[in-house]
Amino acid sequence: MILIIDFGSQFNQLIARRVRECGVYCIIEPPTIPMDRIRELDPKGIILSGGPASIYEKNSPRMDAAVFDLGIPVLGICYGMHFMMDALGGTVKPSPKREYGFAELLISQPGPLFKSLPERSQVWMSHGDEIADLPPGFQAAACTDNTLVAAAMDPARNFFALQFHPEVAHTRKGKPMLHNFLFEVCGCKRNWTMKAFTRRTVKEIAQAVGRDKVILGLSGGVDSSVTAMLIHKAVGSQLTCIFVDNGLLRKDEAAKLKKVFKEHLQLNIRFVNAGRQFLKALTQVSDPEKKRKIIGKVFMDVFEAEANKIKGAKYLAQGTLYPDIIESRSAFGGPTSVIKSHHNVGGLPKRMKLKLVEPLQYLFKDEVRKLGKQMGLSEDLVWRQPFPGPGLAIRIIGNVTTGRLKVLREVDAVLLEEIRAAGYYRKLWQSFAVLLPLKSVGIMGDSRTYENIVAIRAVTSKDAMTADWAKLPHHLLGRISNRIINEVRGVNRVVYDISSKPPSTIEWE
Ligand code: XMP
């Protein structure tokens, strides 16, 4: 395995993904990780990530410099390079010319990191500091127009440092460089596959759970479905899934999911029809946070009541992913306040005195999809766009009523049909409609109308932390708008949301 030290770069998850794409397992830890823990993990190599700080600043993040005495190969990237240079006796200072964006790299010293790479290639820079003096034993290995030491190395000790970011796609030969570090320098083996993961995880779950019972909240999303499959594989009928239909799902969604789960997954599932309870609790509530809190509470009550019927359950399984774990404890990057209030069963383990099983906690979304596919989950489920726990309630701005739910469901169904037909469903992180609490004047036939407005939201994203509004073709937007206005009663205007996250969020509430 490879250990990645998180100095707060927005790209550290990308480093991990690149390493795993090479078939090598890795984890991300904060710089405060104790040396004993590193020895215990016994990584084949360590990657020091970039970060927003400058090493010469007073409170810049540092790790124990003893990391360089472990005899383990180290690759420093950007801030990670500066930390390495500084800790080993070099000097880093502000550079007269900041460098952001593309640059041409010229390799001056071949070494294992650059094996089979062209002398010149495009790299992506983002820094305002430079190496003034190299530490003893180091030599410069590459430069760009503005940066004399764009790469440095001490091959005898297996220390390498890059000023640019090999993990981003803009660095054309970045992946081969990381590949070289893993296989030429660290001697890693390509043994991180979803098959190996499944084998190991199933064994671990079986050992941990023993003969006890496990409960899982099935939402129909890919994460909870894959979690259910893994646990089912490990402990079979000791797993009971609970599917709560909160009445806030998309058109025909509950029925479709029931069919898939029952027919194809052969899981032990309890369906709870609680739509009325949710709607009643939401009567006359328009404040987004109140809606979320109410939905969260009703969900917990309903879930707990159902779970209590399963006597002797000791475990609660959740489909928490690695980004959630990193976000909630990141030392310098994501502040801890980002812990999502989304986790609908977040408070349950404590309340019900259940122990957590989170078999996906070291996986990224793309890995979960791969795993689901490999375990035989239908393409439809594997590629489902995320759908928020509070459902359509947070896509109906203002009061949630049966009538407004019906309008939004119809709009949403048309939208998804068109998005799918145009081949955009998988390319988009999410695509959905929002029903606004506004009416506008229109004309239909010869009559005046005064009806609802819906907004279409379509975004691209890797992990929902940031997102871009999707540049959907005008003819597709036109068709969507036409069909919605013609086919859905009560809507006479469609608008397209062209805001990115940040500063907007993906959902409107
Ligand atoms: P925002 O709106 O914060 O959403 O940009 C980020 C991602 O999270 C989803 N989301 C939720 N998922 N329960 C969930 O399970 C929730 O309460 C919730 N709120 C937002 C949202 O759809 C997007 O993918």
Side-chain angles (χ1 to χ4, degrees):
M1 67 105 78
I2 292 287
L3 173 65
I4 298 165
I5 302 294
D6 174 8
F7 282 115
S9 160
Q10 52 178 324
F11 301 128
N12 59 35
Q13 289 190 31
L14 215 48
I15 304 176
R17 286 159 68 147
R18 294 284 170 266
V19 172
R20 291 197 187 178
E21 279 164 20
C22 289
V24 176
Y25 181 58
C26 62
I27 61 167
I28 304 177
E29 291 290 325
T32 45
I33 182 173
M35 284 304 118
D36 282 347
R37 174 74 184 133
I38 300 187
R39 282 190 204 97
E40 198 180 291
L41 288 169
D42 193 22
K44 287 284 213 182
I46 297 173
I47 299 179
L48 310 175
S49 88
S54 281
I55 192 72
Y56 45 78
E57 282 167 5
K58 212 165 144 217
N59 291 321
S60 56
R62 285 165 188 272
M63 72 182 299
D64 190 339
V67 68
F68 298 109
D69 301 327
L70 299 172
I72 301 173
V74 184
L75 171 66
I77 296 172
C78 202
Y79 179 86
M81 172 194 217
H82 302 161
F83 169 71
M84 182 192 274
M85 298 294 112
D86 187 77
L88 293 173
T91 335
V92 179
K93 62 171 193 2
S95 53
K97 278 191 202 156
R98 292 161 153 252
E99 203 175 13
Y100 290 100
F102 295 110
E104 189 182 46
L105 184 78
L106 174 64
I107 297 173
S108 51
Q109 280 295 329
L113 206 62
F114 299 138
K115 195 179 156 197
S116 311
L117 293 187
E119 198 180 26
R120 289 171 190 274
S121 63
Q122 178 191 292
V123 296
W124 199 78
M125 292 280 199
S126 166
H127 69 113
D129 295 329
E130 64 179 23
I131 314 302
D133 302 298
L134 286 164
F138 274 81
Q139 52 182 307
C143 63
T144 67
D145 276 353
N146 288 333
T147 307
L148 213 54
V149 187
M153 60 183 176
D154 177 351
R157 286 188 286 174
N158 273 328
F159 294 159
F160 298 86
L162 303 174
Q163 179 59 77
F164 54 90
H165 289 271
E167 68 277 22
V168 305
H170 300 312
T171 297
R172 291 269 184 264
K173 298 292 172 192
K175 202 160 169 199
M177 284 178 205
L178 288 173
H179 186 278
N180 282 338
F181 179 68
L182 301 178
F183 300 106
E184 299 294 324
V185 177
C186 305
C188 289
K189 287 209 182 77
R190 252 180 184 284
N191 56 9
W192 172 252
T193 60
M194 284 302 114
K195 265 211 171 98
F197 171 83
T198 309
R199 223 178 300 128
R200 200 174 63 195
T201 308
V202 165
K203 208 163 123 194
E204 279 169 11
I205 297 171
Q207 265 167 8
V209 170
R211 305 185 73 103
D212 288 322
K213 286 188 189 158
V214 187
I215 305 174
L216 178 144
L218 203 58
S219 72
V222 62
D223 305 340
S224 66
S225 304
V226 172
T227 306
M229 289 178 86
L230 274 174
I231 296 185
H232 185 252
K233 203 168 167 152
V235 298
S237 60
Q238 284 161 252
L239 168 71
T240 306
C241 301
I242 299 176
F243 177 80
V244 177
D245 180 352
N246 57 11
L248 305 167
L249 301 175
R250 291 176 145 154
K251 192 179 174 185
D252 302 331
E253 194 81 336
K256 266 193 257 167
L257 287 172
K258 271 186 191 176
K259 200 160 167 258
V260 173
F261 291 141
K262 269 248 147 86
E263 286 176 12
H264 303 296
L265 298 181
Q266 268 112 45
L267 296 172
N268 189 2
I269 309 185
R270 289 166 175 249
F271 294 99
V272 192
N273 202 339
R276 275 212 187 145
Q277 220 166 313
F278 281 87
L279 255 188
K280 191 164 165 237
L282 285 170
T283 311
Q284 296 296 321
V285 179
S286 58
D287 178 77
E289 270 312 295
K290 275 198 190 130
K291 278 187 195 172
R292 282 177 172 275
K293 293 225 166 81
I294 289 172
I295 294 168
K297 185 179 173 306
V298 177
F299 182 89
M300 293 239 268
D301 292 346
V302 172
F303 191 90
E304 190 176 8
E306 195 60 31
N308 279 338
K309 295 181 192 161
I310 304 158
K311 295 289 166 236
K314 287 248 170 70
Y315 291 88
L316 180 76
Q318 280 191 171
T320 316
L321 301 192
Y322 199 32
D324 302 332
I325 304 259
I326 303 171
E327 292 312 322
S328 58
R329 65 106 222 259
S330 180
F332 302 98
T336 37
S337 60
V338 198
I339 302 176
K340 296 169 194 158
S341 55
H342 306 168
H343 293 158
N344 307 312
V345 283
L348 270 180
K350 220 168 159 190
R351 201 159 111 175
M352 297 182 61
K353 300 193 180 66
L354 293 171
K355 285 190 236 168
L356 271 181
V357 198
E358 298 179 303
L360 307 183
Q361 62 174 309
Y362 289 112
L363 299 189
F364 292 104
K365 191 93 177 179
D366 51 336
E367 293 176 314
V368 174
R369 291 205 155 114
K370 228 191 254 173
L371 181 58
K373 211 169 147 191
Q374 189 209 293
M375 294 188 81
L377 209 60
S378 73
E379 287 270 312
D380 230 33
L381 267 189
V382 167
W383 287 104
R384 257 187 115 215
Q385 290 179 355
F387 186 70
L392 299 183
I394 55 164
R395 293 178 179 172
I396 293 176
I397 314 300
N399 294 346
V400 184
T401 61
T402 319
R404 292 180 75 72
L405 273 167
K406 187 161 181 281
V407 171
L408 185 57
R409 276 197 185 106
E410 295 303 325
V411 170
D412 194 70
V414 172
L415 168 71
L416 283 189
E417 205 178 298
E418 286 299 329
I419 292 282
R420 280 205 169 94
Y424 272 89
Y425 186 79
R426 282 194 198 179
K427 291 184 198 154
L428 299 173
W429 173 264
Q430 274 172 303
S431 44
F432 57 88
V434 181
L435 183 58
L436 309 192
L438 292 171
K439 286 192 168 186
S440 77
V441 175
I443 173 160
M444 268 200 161
D446 289 327
S447 321
R448 173 190 193 268
T449 59
Y450 187 55
E451 300 283 15
N452 290 296
I453 308 172
V454 291
I456 305 297
R457 182 86 166 126
V459 296
T460 54
S461 174
K462 286 240 178 302
D463 47 21
M465 295 306 297
T466 61
D468 275 334
W469 63 275
K471 316 295 181 290
L472 294 180
H474 288 177
H475 63 86
L476 174 59
L477 288 170
R479 202 164 47 239
I480 291 170
S481 159
N482 251 337
R483 277 200 59 196
I484 291 174
I485 294 172
N486 280 322
E487 295 174 29
V488 185
R489 264 182 183 243
V491 178
N492 70 354
R493 193 174 296 272
V494 174
V495 296
Y496 190 49
D497 180 351
I498 52 167
S499 357
S500 288
K501 173 183 180 176
S504 299
T505 52
I506 297 177
E507 304 288 346
W508 279 39
E509 289 199 332

